[in-house]
Amino acid sequence: MLITGMICGILLGFVLQRGRFCVVGAYRDIILSKKFTVFVAIFIAIFIQSVGVFLLENSGIIKVNHEPFFWLATILGGIVFGFGMVLAGGCATGTWYRSGEGLIGSYIALLFYMLGAAMVKFGVLKPINENLKSYQIQDSTIYQSLGVSPLVLIVILFFIVCLLVYRELKKPKLKIARLSAKKTGISHWLFEKSWHPFVSAILVGLIAILAWPLSYATGREFGLGITTPSANIIGFLTAGNIDLIDWGVFLVLGIFIGSFIAAKGSNEFKFRLPDKKTLGQNAFGGLLMGFGASLAGGCTIGNGLVETAIFSYQGWVAMLCFFIGSSIATYVMIIRPSKLALKTKS
C-alpha cells in the first residue's frame, strides 16, 4: 500500500511542475508586483481540500486528529521558514519538484532542508523544539473555539474564494506571445500548453483529498506532508531505522519523479549550476526551511494547504508567518539592494 504514496506524489509533482505552482512565487508576486493570481489559487486548493476532508470524515473513512496549538513554535518557525524559502529559491515542495527539473541549487537546498528538519526532529536541536512546543493552547481549530460546525467555516471560505476569483478573472487579460505548438491532442495539453494557476489549484486540491484515504490505509493518519517525510529520509540513511520509511517518504520521492517526467516531456529538464553565492544562499535557506518547518509543524503544504483546510490555528498562523518571513527576506535580498543601486547611480 505504500506504493500509493509514490503514485500520489507523481501526480502532485507533475501538476506542480507543469502548473508552475509555487508558493514563494505567489508571495513574491504580491510583494514586488502586487499580483495576487497564484495566491488566490492557493485559496482555491485549500477550499477544495477542505470540502473533501470533511466529507471523508463525515463518511467515517478518515478521522481528523487534532493536537494543541503550539503557538510560539508556529510563529517563530513560520517566520524562519518564510525567510529561508526565499534564500533557497523555493519552498519545501518547490525544492523537491525543481530538483526534478535538474536545478543543482534545488538539490543543495533540498539536502540542507532535509538535514535541518532531521536535526530538529531527531538530533541536536530536538530540545529546542520540545521547549518551544511547551507553549500551547488546547483548542487547535477555529471551529472548536467558536463552538460551530466546520460547515460554517467552509461556507464562509467559499464566499471568500468566489469573491477573490471573481476579482481576478475580471482583470484585463495580457496577451502573451507563444511558440507554435509542436504537439497535438493530450500531449499538447499536458506538455506544451500553459496551465492557468486556477486549473493547477483545482488539481492540487483534488490530489490533496486523495492523499487522506490513501495515507490512512497505511496507518499514517494525515494527508499531504513534506517536512517529516524529508527528515525521515535522513533518519533512515543515518540510523537505518526502517520504521521511518512510510507513505509520506514515498510521496516526496514521487514528487521528484513526477516533476522529472513533466520536465522531460516539456523539454524543460536541464542541469543548471548557479554561481557560488547563490549555492551558499540555497544551502543556508534550505537549512532555515528545515529548522523552521519542523518548529512550525509543517511547511507550505503541511501547514499552508492541509492544516488550513481543517481550519487549525497552526495552519493559518503559520501561513501568515510564512508571508512575514518571506516579505522580510524579499526586502533584504531584492528590494533594498535595488534601492541602494539606484542611489549609487544617481
Side-chain angles (χ1 to χ4, degrees), residues 38-75:
V38 181
F39 188 68
V40 172
I42 294 171
F43 273 77
I44 293 173
I46 291 171
F47 168 72
I48 290 173
Q49 184 185 189
S50 186
V51 173
V53 166
F54 287 107
L55 282 175
L56 288 170
E57 185 175 48
N58 289 337
S59 301
I61 298 173
I62 66 169
K63 186 180 187 305
V64 178
N65 297 313
H66 300 292
E67 292 185 344
F69 172 38
F70 307 110
W71 61 272
L72 184 57
T74 300
I75 292 171

PDB file of all heavy atoms in Angstrom, residues 38-75:
ATOM      1  N   VAL A  38      -1.705  33.780  -8.205  1.00  0.00           N
ATOM      2  CA  VAL A  38      -1.255  32.498  -7.649  1.00  0.00           C
ATOM      3  C   VAL A  38      -1.659  32.386  -6.180  1.00  0.00           C
ATOM      4  O   VAL A  38      -1.993  31.297  -5.700  1.00  0.00           O
ATOM      5  CB  VAL A  38       0.269  32.341  -7.813  1.00  0.00           C
ATOM      6  CG1 VAL A  38       0.726  30.991  -7.259  1.00  0.00           C
ATOM      7  CG2 VAL A  38       0.669  32.457  -9.280  1.00  0.00           C
ATOM      8  N   PHE A  39      -1.655  33.505  -5.474  1.00  0.00           N
ATOM      9  CA  PHE A  39      -2.077  33.493  -4.067  1.00  0.00           C
ATOM     10  C   PHE A  39      -3.548  33.098  -3.959  1.00  0.00           C
ATOM     11  O   PHE A  39      -3.925  32.308  -3.090  1.00  0.00           O
ATOM     12  CB  PHE A  39      -1.853  34.867  -3.448  1.00  0.00           C
ATOM     13  CG  PHE A  39      -2.073  34.910  -1.955  1.00  0.00           C
ATOM     14  CD1 PHE A  39      -1.209  34.254  -1.089  1.00  0.00           C
ATOM     15  CD2 PHE A  39      -3.149  35.599  -1.419  1.00  0.00           C
ATOM     16  CE1 PHE A  39      -1.408  34.284   0.282  1.00  0.00           C
ATOM     17  CE2 PHE A  39      -3.357  35.638  -0.054  1.00  0.00           C
ATOM     18  CZ  PHE A  39      -2.483  34.975   0.806  1.00  0.00           C
ATOM     19  N   VAL A  40      -4.376  33.620  -4.850  1.00  0.00           N
ATOM     20  CA  VAL A  40      -5.789  33.232  -4.879  1.00  0.00           C
ATOM     21  C   VAL A  40      -5.917  31.749  -5.222  1.00  0.00           C
ATOM     22  O   VAL A  40      -6.771  31.038  -4.674  1.00  0.00           O
ATOM     23  CB  VAL A  40      -6.570  34.101  -5.895  1.00  0.00           C
ATOM     24  CG1 VAL A  40      -7.998  33.575  -6.074  1.00  0.00           C
ATOM     25  CG2 VAL A  40      -6.604  35.551  -5.447  1.00  0.00           C
ATOM     26  N   ALA A  41      -5.062  31.267  -6.106  1.00  0.00           N
ATOM     27  CA  ALA A  41      -5.080  29.852  -6.476  1.00  0.00           C
ATOM     28  C   ALA A  41      -4.835  28.967  -5.258  1.00  0.00           C
ATOM     29  O   ALA A  41      -5.433  27.890  -5.132  1.00  0.00           O
ATOM     30  CB  ALA A  41      -4.030  29.575  -7.551  1.00  0.00           C
ATOM     31  N   ILE A  42      -3.973  29.403  -4.361  1.00  0.00           N
ATOM     32  CA  ILE A  42      -3.720  28.641  -3.133  1.00  0.00           C
ATOM     33  C   ILE A  42      -5.001  28.505  -2.319  1.00  0.00           C
ATOM     34  O   ILE A  42      -5.305  27.438  -1.779  1.00  0.00           O
ATOM     35  CB  ILE A  42      -2.617  29.321  -2.294  1.00  0.00           C
ATOM     36  CG1 ILE A  42      -1.281  29.274  -3.043  1.00  0.00           C
ATOM     37  CG2 ILE A  42      -2.476  28.647  -0.928  1.00  0.00           C
ATOM     38  CD1 ILE A  42      -0.183  30.099  -2.408  1.00  0.00           C
ATOM     39  N   PHE A  43      -5.785  29.565  -2.252  1.00  0.00           N
ATOM     40  CA  PHE A  43      -7.052  29.527  -1.518  1.00  0.00           C
ATOM     41  C   PHE A  43      -8.050  28.578  -2.185  1.00  0.00           C
ATOM     42  O   PHE A  43      -8.853  27.936  -1.504  1.00  0.00           O
ATOM     43  CB  PHE A  43      -7.648  30.933  -1.412  1.00  0.00           C
ATOM     44  CG  PHE A  43      -7.145  31.715  -0.235  1.00  0.00           C
ATOM     45  CD1 PHE A  43      -5.887  32.292  -0.253  1.00  0.00           C
ATOM     46  CD2 PHE A  43      -7.907  31.859   0.910  1.00  0.00           C
ATOM     47  CE1 PHE A  43      -5.397  32.996   0.830  1.00  0.00           C
ATOM     48  CE2 PHE A  43      -7.438  32.558   2.006  1.00  0.00           C
ATOM     49  CZ  PHE A  43      -6.170  33.133   1.967  1.00  0.00           C
ATOM     50  N   ILE A  44      -8.018  28.497  -3.506  1.00  0.00           N
ATOM     51  CA  ILE A  44      -8.886  27.551  -4.208  1.00  0.00           C
ATOM     52  C   ILE A  44      -8.548  26.120  -3.789  1.00  0.00           C
ATOM     53  O   ILE A  44      -9.432  25.312  -3.485  1.00  0.00           O
ATOM     54  CB  ILE A  44      -8.735  27.705  -5.732  1.00  0.00           C
ATOM     55  CG1 ILE A  44      -9.276  29.060  -6.186  1.00  0.00           C
ATOM     56  CG2 ILE A  44      -9.464  26.572  -6.467  1.00  0.00           C
ATOM     57  CD1 ILE A  44      -9.017  29.362  -7.660  1.00  0.00           C
ATOM     58  N   ALA A  45      -7.250  25.809  -3.762  1.00  0.00           N
ATOM     59  CA  ALA A  45      -6.814  24.466  -3.368  1.00  0.00           C
ATOM     60  C   ALA A  45      -7.193  24.156  -1.927  1.00  0.00           C
ATOM     61  O   ALA A  45      -7.608  23.041  -1.604  1.00  0.00           O
ATOM     62  CB  ALA A  45      -5.298  24.344  -3.556  1.00  0.00           C
ATOM     63  N   ILE A  46      -7.075  25.146  -1.048  1.00  0.00           N
ATOM     64  CA  ILE A  46      -7.449  24.967   0.362  1.00  0.00           C
ATOM     65  C   ILE A  46      -8.937  24.653   0.472  1.00  0.00           C
ATOM     66  O   ILE A  46      -9.343  23.723   1.179  1.00  0.00           O
ATOM     67  CB  ILE A  46      -7.111  26.233   1.174  1.00  0.00           C
ATOM     68  CG1 ILE A  46      -5.597  26.411   1.300  1.00  0.00           C
ATOM     69  CG2 ILE A  46      -7.743  26.155   2.576  1.00  0.00           C
ATOM     70  CD1 ILE A  46      -5.184  27.745   1.906  1.00  0.00           C
ATOM     71  N   PHE A  47      -9.748  25.430  -0.234  1.00  0.00           N
ATOM     72  CA  PHE A  47     -11.204  25.227  -0.159  1.00  0.00           C
ATOM     73  C   PHE A  47     -11.609  23.849  -0.676  1.00  0.00           C
ATOM     74  O   PHE A  47     -12.402  23.145  -0.033  1.00  0.00           O
ATOM     75  CB  PHE A  47     -11.919  26.309  -0.969  1.00  0.00           C
ATOM     76  CG  PHE A  47     -13.386  26.014  -1.177  1.00  0.00           C
ATOM     77  CD1 PHE A  47     -14.284  26.110  -0.126  1.00  0.00           C
ATOM     78  CD2 PHE A  47     -13.850  25.605  -2.417  1.00  0.00           C
ATOM     79  CE1 PHE A  47     -15.630  25.805  -0.306  1.00  0.00           C
ATOM     80  CE2 PHE A  47     -15.188  25.304  -2.604  1.00  0.00           C
ATOM     81  CZ  PHE A  47     -16.079  25.405  -1.542  1.00  0.00           C
ATOM     82  N   ILE A  48     -11.074  23.451  -1.820  1.00  0.00           N
ATOM     83  CA  ILE A  48     -11.427  22.152  -2.393  1.00  0.00           C
ATOM     84  C   ILE A  48     -11.064  21.028  -1.432  1.00  0.00           C
ATOM     85  O   ILE A  48     -11.852  20.105  -1.184  1.00  0.00           O
ATOM     86  CB  ILE A  48     -10.720  21.951  -3.751  1.00  0.00           C
ATOM     87  CG1 ILE A  48     -11.334  22.888  -4.796  1.00  0.00           C
ATOM     88  CG2 ILE A  48     -10.823  20.490  -4.217  1.00  0.00           C
ATOM     89  CD1 ILE A  48     -10.603  22.896  -6.111  1.00  0.00           C
ATOM     90  N   GLN A  49      -9.857  21.105  -0.856  1.00  0.00           N
ATOM     91  CA  GLN A  49      -9.450  20.061   0.076  1.00  0.00           C
ATOM     92  C   GLN A  49     -10.317  20.073   1.333  1.00  0.00           C
ATOM     93  O   GLN A  49     -10.663  19.015   1.859  1.00  0.00           O
ATOM     94  CB  GLN A  49      -7.978  20.228   0.481  1.00  0.00           C
ATOM     95  CG  GLN A  49      -7.523  19.085   1.383  1.00  0.00           C
ATOM     96  CD  GLN A  49      -6.124  19.264   1.912  1.00  0.00           C
ATOM     97  OE1 GLN A  49      -5.569  18.356   2.514  1.00  0.00           O
ATOM     98  NE2 GLN A  49      -5.538  20.417   1.720  1.00  0.00           N
ATOM     99  N   SER A  50     -10.683  21.248   1.791  1.00  0.00           N
ATOM    100  CA  SER A  50     -11.499  21.351   2.995  1.00  0.00           C
ATOM    101  C   SER A  50     -12.830  20.627   2.817  1.00  0.00           C
ATOM    102  O   SER A  50     -13.263  19.867   3.693  1.00  0.00           O
ATOM    103  CB  SER A  50     -11.747  22.828   3.334  1.00  0.00           C
ATOM    104  OG  SER A  50     -12.415  22.956   4.561  1.00  0.00           O
ATOM    105  N   VAL A  51     -13.468  20.852   1.688  1.00  0.00           N
ATOM    106  CA  VAL A  51     -14.734  20.165   1.398  1.00  0.00           C
ATOM    107  C   VAL A  51     -14.525  18.655   1.395  1.00  0.00           C
ATOM    108  O   VAL A  51     -15.287  17.897   2.017  1.00  0.00           O
ATOM    109  CB  VAL A  51     -15.301  20.629   0.041  1.00  0.00           C
ATOM    110  CG1 VAL A  51     -16.516  19.786  -0.346  1.00  0.00           C
ATOM    111  CG2 VAL A  51     -15.691  22.106   0.096  1.00  0.00           C
ATOM    112  N   GLY A  52     -13.485  18.214   0.710  1.00  0.00           N
ATOM    113  CA  GLY A  52     -13.226  16.774   0.606  1.00  0.00           C
ATOM    114  C   GLY A  52     -12.895  16.116   1.925  1.00  0.00           C
ATOM    115  O   GLY A  52     -13.386  15.019   2.232  1.00  0.00           O
ATOM    116  N   VAL A  53     -12.073  16.787   2.739  1.00  0.00           N
ATOM    117  CA  VAL A  53     -11.644  16.206   4.017  1.00  0.00           C
ATOM    118  C   VAL A  53     -12.831  15.999   4.954  1.00  0.00           C
ATOM    119  O   VAL A  53     -12.989  14.928   5.559  1.00  0.00           O
ATOM    120  CB  VAL A  53     -10.584  17.101   4.695  1.00  0.00           C
ATOM    121  CG1 VAL A  53     -10.393  16.694   6.155  1.00  0.00           C
ATOM    122  CG2 VAL A  53      -9.266  17.000   3.962  1.00  0.00           C
ATOM    123  N   PHE A  54     -13.682  16.996   5.062  1.00  0.00           N
ATOM    124  CA  PHE A  54     -14.797  16.868   5.998  1.00  0.00           C
ATOM    125  C   PHE A  54     -15.878  15.929   5.475  1.00  0.00           C
ATOM    126  O   PHE A  54     -16.605  15.305   6.264  1.00  0.00           O
ATOM    127  CB  PHE A  54     -15.367  18.251   6.345  1.00  0.00           C
ATOM    128  CG  PHE A  54     -14.459  19.027   7.261  1.00  0.00           C
ATOM    129  CD1 PHE A  54     -13.728  20.102   6.801  1.00  0.00           C
ATOM    130  CD2 PHE A  54     -14.309  18.648   8.594  1.00  0.00           C
ATOM    131  CE1 PHE A  54     -12.880  20.809   7.643  1.00  0.00           C
ATOM    132  CE2 PHE A  54     -13.458  19.342   9.447  1.00  0.00           C
ATOM    133  CZ  PHE A  54     -12.733  20.422   8.971  1.00  0.00           C
ATOM    134  N   LEU A  55     -15.989  15.783   4.153  1.00  0.00           N
ATOM    135  CA  LEU A  55     -16.879  14.756   3.604  1.00  0.00           C
ATOM    136  C   LEU A  55     -16.351  13.367   3.941  1.00  0.00           C
ATOM    137  O   LEU A  55     -17.118  12.465   4.309  1.00  0.00           O
ATOM    138  CB  LEU A  55     -16.999  14.918   2.085  1.00  0.00           C
ATOM    139  CG  LEU A  55     -17.914  16.034   1.568  1.00  0.00           C
ATOM    140  CD1 LEU A  55     -17.827  16.127   0.058  1.00  0.00           C
ATOM    141  CD2 LEU A  55     -19.367  15.787   2.005  1.00  0.00           C
ATOM    142  N   LEU A  56     -15.036  13.188   3.819  1.00  0.00           N
ATOM    143  CA  LEU A  56     -14.420  11.903   4.158  1.00  0.00           C
ATOM    144  C   LEU A  56     -14.591  11.593   5.642  1.00  0.00           C
ATOM    145  O   LEU A  56     -14.864  10.446   6.020  1.00  0.00           O
ATOM    146  CB  LEU A  56     -12.934  11.929   3.801  1.00  0.00           C
ATOM    147  CG  LEU A  56     -12.575  11.878   2.310  1.00  0.00           C
ATOM    148  CD1 LEU A  56     -11.088  12.150   2.112  1.00  0.00           C
ATOM    149  CD2 LEU A  56     -12.953  10.536   1.702  1.00  0.00           C
ATOM    150  N   GLU A  57     -14.459  12.611   6.480  1.00  0.00           N
ATOM    151  CA  GLU A  57     -14.608  12.389   7.918  1.00  0.00           C
ATOM    152  C   GLU A  57     -16.057  12.066   8.278  1.00  0.00           C
ATOM    153  O   GLU A  57     -16.326  11.149   9.071  1.00  0.00           O
ATOM    154  CB  GLU A  57     -14.137  13.608   8.705  1.00  0.00           C
ATOM    155  CG  GLU A  57     -14.169  13.376  10.216  1.00  0.00           C
ATOM    156  CD  GLU A  57     -13.595  14.528  10.997  1.00  0.00           C
ATOM    157  OE1 GLU A  57     -13.980  15.687  10.705  1.00  0.00           O
ATOM    158  OE2 GLU A  57     -12.805  14.291  11.919  1.00  0.00           O
ATOM    159  N   ASN A  58     -16.992  12.802   7.687  1.00  0.00           N
ATOM    160  CA  ASN A  58     -18.408  12.539   7.971  1.00  0.00           C
ATOM    161  C   ASN A  58     -18.849  11.176   7.454  1.00  0.00           C
ATOM    162  O   ASN A  58     -19.812  10.590   7.971  1.00  0.00           O
ATOM    163  CB  ASN A  58     -19.279  13.638   7.346  1.00  0.00           C
ATOM    164  CG  ASN A  58     -19.149  14.967   8.066  1.00  0.00           C
ATOM    165  OD1 ASN A  58     -18.775  15.009   9.240  1.00  0.00           O
ATOM    166  ND2 ASN A  58     -19.429  16.061   7.370  1.00  0.00           N
ATOM    167  N   SER A  59     -18.145  10.658   6.447  1.00  0.00           N
ATOM    168  CA  SER A  59     -18.453   9.330   5.913  1.00  0.00           C
ATOM    169  C   SER A  59     -17.792   8.218   6.716  1.00  0.00           C
ATOM    170  O   SER A  59     -18.016   7.035   6.436  1.00  0.00           O
ATOM    171  CB  SER A  59     -17.995   9.239   4.447  1.00  0.00           C
ATOM    172  OG  SER A  59     -18.629  10.222   3.652  1.00  0.00           O
ATOM    173  N   GLY A  60     -16.965   8.590   7.691  1.00  0.00           N
ATOM    174  CA  GLY A  60     -16.292   7.607   8.523  1.00  0.00           C
ATOM    175  C   GLY A  60     -15.062   6.984   7.883  1.00  0.00           C
ATOM    176  O   GLY A  60     -14.499   6.019   8.406  1.00  0.00           O
ATOM    177  N   ILE A  61     -14.613   7.537   6.757  1.00  0.00           N
ATOM    178  CA  ILE A  61     -13.449   6.988   6.056  1.00  0.00           C
ATOM    179  C   ILE A  61     -12.152   7.393   6.755  1.00  0.00           C
ATOM    180  O   ILE A  61     -11.209   6.607   6.844  1.00  0.00           O
ATOM    181  CB  ILE A  61     -13.441   7.442   4.585  1.00  0.00           C
ATOM    182  CG1 ILE A  61     -14.694   6.914   3.874  1.00  0.00           C
ATOM    183  CG2 ILE A  61     -12.176   6.981   3.868  1.00  0.00           C
ATOM    184  CD1 ILE A  61     -14.872   7.438   2.466  1.00  0.00           C
ATOM    185  N   ILE A  62     -12.110   8.622   7.236  1.00  0.00           N
ATOM    186  CA  ILE A  62     -10.943   9.100   7.973  1.00  0.00           C
ATOM    187  C   ILE A  62     -11.418   9.806   9.241  1.00  0.00           C
ATOM    188  O   ILE A  62     -12.618  10.079   9.408  1.00  0.00           O
ATOM    189  CB  ILE A  62     -10.090  10.088   7.146  1.00  0.00           C
ATOM    190  CG1 ILE A  62     -10.888  11.388   6.886  1.00  0.00           C
ATOM    191  CG2 ILE A  62      -9.604   9.453   5.860  1.00  0.00           C
ATOM    192  CD1 ILE A  62     -10.057  12.515   6.306  1.00  0.00           C
ATOM    193  N   LYS A  63     -10.491  10.108  10.108  1.00  0.00           N
ATOM    194  CA  LYS A  63     -10.769  10.920  11.283  1.00  0.00           C
ATOM    195  C   LYS A  63      -9.658  11.953  11.411  1.00  0.00           C
ATOM    196  O   LYS A  63      -8.478  11.606  11.445  1.00  0.00           O
ATOM    197  CB  LYS A  63     -10.848  10.077  12.552  1.00  0.00           C
ATOM    198  CG  LYS A  63     -11.275  10.878  13.783  1.00  0.00           C
ATOM    199  CD  LYS A  63     -11.340   9.994  15.015  1.00  0.00           C
ATOM    200  CE  LYS A  63     -11.924  10.758  16.201  1.00  0.00           C
ATOM    201  NZ  LYS A  63     -11.194  12.006  16.499  1.00  0.00           N
ATOM    202  N   VAL A  64     -10.038  13.214  11.415  1.00  0.00           N
ATOM    203  CA  VAL A  64      -9.058  14.286  11.524  1.00  0.00           C
ATOM    204  C   VAL A  64      -8.623  14.399  12.982  1.00  0.00           C
ATOM    205  O   VAL A  64      -9.433  14.675  13.871  1.00  0.00           O
ATOM    206  CB  VAL A  64      -9.639  15.630  11.033  1.00  0.00           C
ATOM    207  CG1 VAL A  64      -8.602  16.743  11.206  1.00  0.00           C
ATOM    208  CG2 VAL A  64     -10.074  15.527   9.579  1.00  0.00           C
ATOM    209  N   ASN A  65      -7.342  14.158  13.230  1.00  0.00           N
ATOM    210  CA  ASN A  65      -6.807  14.245  14.585  1.00  0.00           C
ATOM    211  C   ASN A  65      -6.329  15.662  14.882  1.00  0.00           C
ATOM    212  O   ASN A  65      -5.791  16.340  14.000  1.00  0.00           O
ATOM    213  CB  ASN A  65      -5.635  13.264  14.752  1.00  0.00           C
ATOM    214  CG  ASN A  65      -6.081  11.831  14.575  1.00  0.00           C
ATOM    215  OD1 ASN A  65      -7.088  11.410  15.141  1.00  0.00           O
ATOM    216  ND2 ASN A  65      -5.343  11.058  13.776  1.00  0.00           N
ATOM    217  N   HIS A  66      -6.530  16.091  16.115  1.00  0.00           N
ATOM    218  CA  HIS A  66      -6.156  17.444  16.496  1.00  0.00           C
ATOM    219  C   HIS A  66      -5.155  17.429  17.635  1.00  0.00           C
ATOM    220  O   HIS A  66      -5.316  16.695  18.610  1.00  0.00           O
ATOM    221  CB  HIS A  66      -7.394  18.235  16.932  1.00  0.00           C
ATOM    222  CG  HIS A  66      -8.446  18.354  15.868  1.00  0.00           C
ATOM    223  ND1 HIS A  66      -8.260  19.081  14.716  1.00  0.00           N
ATOM    224  CD2 HIS A  66      -9.690  17.825  15.782  1.00  0.00           C
ATOM    225  CE1 HIS A  66      -9.343  19.003  13.968  1.00  0.00           C
ATOM    226  NE2 HIS A  66     -10.233  18.238  14.595  1.00  0.00           N
ATOM    227  N   GLU A  67      -4.109  18.242  17.499  1.00  0.00           N
ATOM    228  CA  GLU A  67      -3.148  18.452  18.569  1.00  0.00           C
ATOM    229  C   GLU A  67      -3.330  19.861  19.122  1.00  0.00           C
ATOM    230  O   GLU A  67      -3.946  20.703  18.475  1.00  0.00           O
ATOM    231  CB  GLU A  67      -1.710  18.295  18.035  1.00  0.00           C
ATOM    232  CG  GLU A  67      -1.347  16.879  17.627  1.00  0.00           C
ATOM    233  CD  GLU A  67       0.110  16.776  17.216  1.00  0.00           C
ATOM    234  OE1 GLU A  67       0.719  17.852  16.954  1.00  0.00           O
ATOM    235  OE2 GLU A  67       0.628  15.656  17.157  1.00  0.00           O
ATOM    236  N   PRO A  68      -2.787  20.137  20.307  1.00  0.00           N
ATOM    237  CA  PRO A  68      -2.833  21.510  20.815  1.00  0.00           C
ATOM    238  C   PRO A  68      -2.123  22.461  19.855  1.00  0.00           C
ATOM    239  O   PRO A  68      -1.288  22.033  19.043  1.00  0.00           O
ATOM    240  CB  PRO A  68      -2.091  21.422  22.158  1.00  0.00           C
ATOM    241  CG  PRO A  68      -2.178  19.980  22.548  1.00  0.00           C
ATOM    242  CD  PRO A  68      -2.158  19.208  21.268  1.00  0.00           C
ATOM    243  N   PHE A  69      -2.438  23.730  19.950  1.00  0.00           N
ATOM    244  CA  PHE A  69      -1.814  24.743  19.099  1.00  0.00           C
ATOM    245  C   PHE A  69      -0.525  25.213  19.764  1.00  0.00           C
ATOM    246  O   PHE A  69      -0.553  25.915  20.768  1.00  0.00           O
ATOM    247  CB  PHE A  69      -2.784  25.908  18.886  1.00  0.00           C
ATOM    248  CG  PHE A  69      -2.190  27.090  18.181  1.00  0.00           C
ATOM    249  CD1 PHE A  69      -1.284  26.934  17.135  1.00  0.00           C
ATOM    250  CD2 PHE A  69      -2.554  28.377  18.550  1.00  0.00           C
ATOM    251  CE1 PHE A  69      -0.749  28.026  16.487  1.00  0.00           C
ATOM    252  CE2 PHE A  69      -2.024  29.480  17.903  1.00  0.00           C
ATOM    253  CZ  PHE A  69      -1.118  29.311  16.869  1.00  0.00           C
ATOM    254  N   PHE A  70       0.611  24.819  19.194  1.00  0.00           N
ATOM    255  CA  PHE A  70       1.917  25.227  19.716  1.00  0.00           C
ATOM    256  C   PHE A  70       2.240  26.612  19.147  1.00  0.00           C
ATOM    257  O   PHE A  70       2.969  26.745  18.168  1.00  0.00           O
ATOM    258  CB  PHE A  70       2.978  24.200  19.320  1.00  0.00           C
ATOM    259  CG  PHE A  70       2.626  22.786  19.708  1.00  0.00           C
ATOM    260  CD1 PHE A  70       2.304  21.837  18.746  1.00  0.00           C
ATOM    261  CD2 PHE A  70       2.589  22.405  21.043  1.00  0.00           C
ATOM    262  CE1 PHE A  70       1.980  20.533  19.101  1.00  0.00           C
ATOM    263  CE2 PHE A  70       2.262  21.100  21.412  1.00  0.00           C
ATOM    264  CZ  PHE A  70       1.954  20.169  20.447  1.00  0.00           C
ATOM    265  N   TRP A  71       1.699  27.620  19.800  1.00  0.00           N
ATOM    266  CA  TRP A  71       1.682  28.951  19.204  1.00  0.00           C
ATOM    267  C   TRP A  71       3.073  29.576  19.039  1.00  0.00           C
ATOM    268  O   TRP A  71       3.369  30.179  17.997  1.00  0.00           O
ATOM    269  CB  TRP A  71       0.776  29.878  20.009  1.00  0.00           C
ATOM    270  CG  TRP A  71       1.179  30.081  21.443  1.00  0.00           C
ATOM    271  CD1 TRP A  71       0.827  29.326  22.518  1.00  0.00           C
ATOM    272  CD2 TRP A  71       2.038  31.109  21.942  1.00  0.00           C
ATOM    273  NE1 TRP A  71       1.405  29.802  23.667  1.00  0.00           N
ATOM    274  CE2 TRP A  71       2.145  30.916  23.354  1.00  0.00           C
ATOM    275  CE3 TRP A  71       2.710  32.189  21.377  1.00  0.00           C
ATOM    276  CZ2 TRP A  71       2.906  31.743  24.169  1.00  0.00           C
ATOM    277  CZ3 TRP A  71       3.468  33.020  22.188  1.00  0.00           C
ATOM    278  CH2 TRP A  71       3.569  32.796  23.562  1.00  0.00           C
ATOM    279  N   LEU A  72       3.929  29.447  20.033  1.00  0.00           N
ATOM    280  CA  LEU A  72       5.248  30.079  19.942  1.00  0.00           C
ATOM    281  C   LEU A  72       6.111  29.405  18.883  1.00  0.00           C
ATOM    282  O   LEU A  72       6.771  30.074  18.075  1.00  0.00           O
ATOM    283  CB  LEU A  72       5.944  30.039  21.303  1.00  0.00           C
ATOM    284  CG  LEU A  72       7.304  30.750  21.385  1.00  0.00           C
ATOM    285  CD1 LEU A  72       7.172  32.217  20.982  1.00  0.00           C
ATOM    286  CD2 LEU A  72       7.889  30.632  22.794  1.00  0.00           C
ATOM    287  N   ALA A  73       6.107  28.075  18.858  1.00  0.00           N
ATOM    288  CA  ALA A  73       6.891  27.344  17.862  1.00  0.00           C
ATOM    289  C   ALA A  73       6.380  27.630  16.453  1.00  0.00           C
ATOM    290  O   ALA A  73       7.170  27.760  15.500  1.00  0.00           O
ATOM    291  CB  ALA A  73       6.825  25.846  18.149  1.00  0.00           C
ATOM    292  N   THR A  74       5.059  27.751  16.308  1.00  0.00           N
ATOM    293  CA  THR A  74       4.475  28.019  14.997  1.00  0.00           C
ATOM    294  C   THR A  74       4.870  29.397  14.484  1.00  0.00           C
ATOM    295  O   THR A  74       5.240  29.561  13.315  1.00  0.00           O
ATOM    296  CB  THR A  74       2.940  27.912  15.062  1.00  0.00           C
ATOM    297  OG1 THR A  74       2.567  26.596  15.479  1.00  0.00           O
ATOM    298  CG2 THR A  74       2.315  28.193  13.702  1.00  0.00           C
ATOM    299  N   ILE A  75       4.808  30.394  15.356  1.00  0.00           N
ATOM    300  CA  ILE A  75       5.140  31.765  14.948  1.00  0.00           C
ATOM    301  C   ILE A  75       6.620  31.888  14.583  1.00  0.00           C
ATOM    302  O   ILE A  75       6.968  32.363  13.494  1.00  0.00           O
ATOM    303  CB  ILE A  75       4.781  32.760  16.067  1.00  0.00           C
ATOM    304  CG1 ILE A  75       3.258  32.836  16.242  1.00  0.00           C
ATOM    305  CG2 ILE A  75       5.345  34.153  15.757  1.00  0.00           C
ATOM    306  CD1 ILE A  75       2.809  33.621  17.460  1.00  0.00           C
TER     307      ILE A  75
END
